[in-house]
Amino acid sequence: MRQNTGLHRALLVSLLAIAATLVSRDICRAQTSESGDLSIELVDPKVLRVCADPRNLPFSNEKGEGFENKLAEFFAEKLQKKLDYMYFPQATGFVRMTLGSHRCDVIMGFPQGNDLAQGTNPYYRTAYALVVKQRSGLEDVATLEDERLKGKHIGIVAGTPPATNMAVNGLMMNAKPYPLMIDTRFDSSAEAMIGDLQKGEIDAAVLWGPMAGFYAKNASPALHVTPLVKETTGPKLAYRIGMGVRPADQNWKRQLNRLIQENQPAINKILLDFGVPLLDENDRPIGAETATKSP
């Protein structure tokens, strides 16, 4: 009888010890989650490892000349981390071969609604834009529905949303298509389109806002850019852009969201310096004088 009592006490002590250990682990896990410890989520918690295209200005290149390079440098400084890149052409398989393979931890520019990765809060909003020469008579054209575009030769990247708007408005007959899927190490449809506009081979170019603004700003003479926010037919052409992280990286996403919220004016300034046509939620342009606004 005494032997059974001793055995029961020993078992009870063991069970209590196991229970105490489990509770302790749960507390530690909860503290780790609440403190935002990124040691599990990031490839290297001391390094901001960015997934980027090696040749895709104005977004990024291996020389660090794109606005996403500048934003990465800005964020690395704020996070007090060393900056490193995993470069891969932004074509089919980009997310799978970079972020999805844990070879880096963040894609600096990622459209909201794309389910290939988890998006942060947006840090800018922009739209496809119409680019024309100054004094071409088309500078005040604000929509693809404008009758002055009828019969004009307009450059368009095939398969992009405004191609639908152009088709709806009968503008594809004289359009010049440029390929969407290219190897950015060797080709740039945006650069080729702007070159054709300057040479007079096309009358206007329809491009994604950051590309339109960047190439128009750096052209000589500078070109005129109009964000296409007044379309009444076809898909909407304005989009919010944030960053992309892995679906499981919740603490990492929250940390990036805080950085975006706390540094929106500085982010806007970097984007405006590259000519990106920024828009607020009411499609009003965000300029240097209103750069504190959020998308």
Side-chain angles (χ1 to χ4, degrees):
M1 184 67 178
R2 285 182 179 174
Q3 285 182 340
N4 287 341
T5 302
L7 180 60
H8 289 159
R9 285 180 178 172
L11 286 172
L12 180 60
V13 169
S14 298
L15 289 171
L16 289 173
I18 292 171
T21 301
L22 291 174
V23 169
S24 175
R25 285 180 180 175
D26 287 344
I27 291 172
C28 290
R29 192 173 298 153
Q31 288 176 339
T32 298
S33 176
E34 291 172 1
S35 66
D37 184 358
L38 302 171
S39 58
I40 298 176
E41 296 185 352
L42 302 186
V43 173
D44 184 343
K46 297 180 181 178
V47 181
L48 176 61
R49 299 174 68 101
V50 176
C51 327
D53 191 303
R55 185 179 179 274
N56 192 24
L57 290 179
F59 305 101
S60 64
N61 69 5
E62 286 182 308
K63 296 180 181 178
E65 297 172 327
F67 68 75
E68 290 181 356
N69 295 113
K70 303 307 177 189
L71 289 170
E73 292 169 13
F74 176 78
F75 275 60
E77 184 179 349
K78 289 291 179 181
L79 291 165
Q80 297 184 322
K81 295 177 186 288
K82 178 185 173 185
L83 176 61
D84 197 9
Y85 287 97
M86 195 283 157
Y87 284 111
F88 193 87
Q90 282 204 4
T92 302
F94 173 76
V95 175
R96 173 171 51 82
M97 294 298 293
T98 56
L99 191 69
S101 300
H102 288 256
R103 299 164 80 179
C104 46
D105 297 308
V106 62
I107 300 171
M108 295 305 297
F110 203 76
Q112 275 201 328
N114 188 326
D115 59 4
L116 289 176
Q118 176 182 210
T120 67
N121 292 339
Y123 64 87
Y124 75 102
R125 182 172 180 269
T126 189
Y128 281 89
L130 184 71
V131 186
V132 300
K133 288 182 178 179
Q134 301 285 0
R135 295 182 292 281
S136 64
L138 300 174
E139 302 98 307
D140 60 345
V141 171
T143 170
L144 295 174
E145 299 168 27
D146 194 302
E147 288 294 322
R148 286 173 286 180
L149 294 178
K150 301 293 185 187
K152 298 293 185 184
H153 297 283
I154 303 173
I156 178 71
V157 177
T160 54
T164 301
N165 302 62
M166 288 179 59
V168 169
N169 290 291
L171 299 175
M172 292 303 286
M173 183 72 74
N174 297 310
K176 181 174 182 179
Y178 296 80
L180 173 64
M181 301 306 293
I182 57 172
D183 188 332
T184 55
R185 293 171 297 181
F186 307 105
D187 298 309
S188 169
S189 291
E191 191 173 0
M193 194 187 303
I194 292 298
D196 286 347
L197 177 62
Q198 290 177 298
K199 289 183 287 187
E201 294 185 10
I202 56 176
D203 301 301
V206 176
L207 275 172
W208 175 228
M211 294 178 176
F214 174 76
Y215 285 108
K217 181 178 181 180
N218 288 288
S220 182
L223 301 168
H224 189 275
V225 177
T226 303
L228 294 169
V229 295
K230 297 184 177 179
E231 301 304 295
T232 61
T233 57
K236 293 291 183 184
L237 301 181
Y239 296 88
R240 302 180 187 89
I241 306 296
M243 301 178 201
V245 300
R246 283 177 288 274
D249 295 352
Q250 294 298 314
N251 285 331
W252 179 220
K253 182 189 74 172
R254 283 193 281 270
Q255 189 173 43
L256 291 172
N257 283 342
R258 282 196 296 273
L259 282 172
I260 292 170
Q261 183 179 20
E262 293 168 359
N263 297 283
Q264 190 66 60
I267 293 170
N268 286 353
K269 184 177 185 313
I270 291 172
L271 295 168
L272 290 170
D273 286 345
F274 276 79
V276 178
L278 301 181
L279 300 169
D280 68 14
E281 285 298 333
N282 296 310
D283 292 333
R284 293 174 301 205
I286 297 175
E289 69 285 357
T290 54
T292 57
K293 287 187 176 180
S294 298

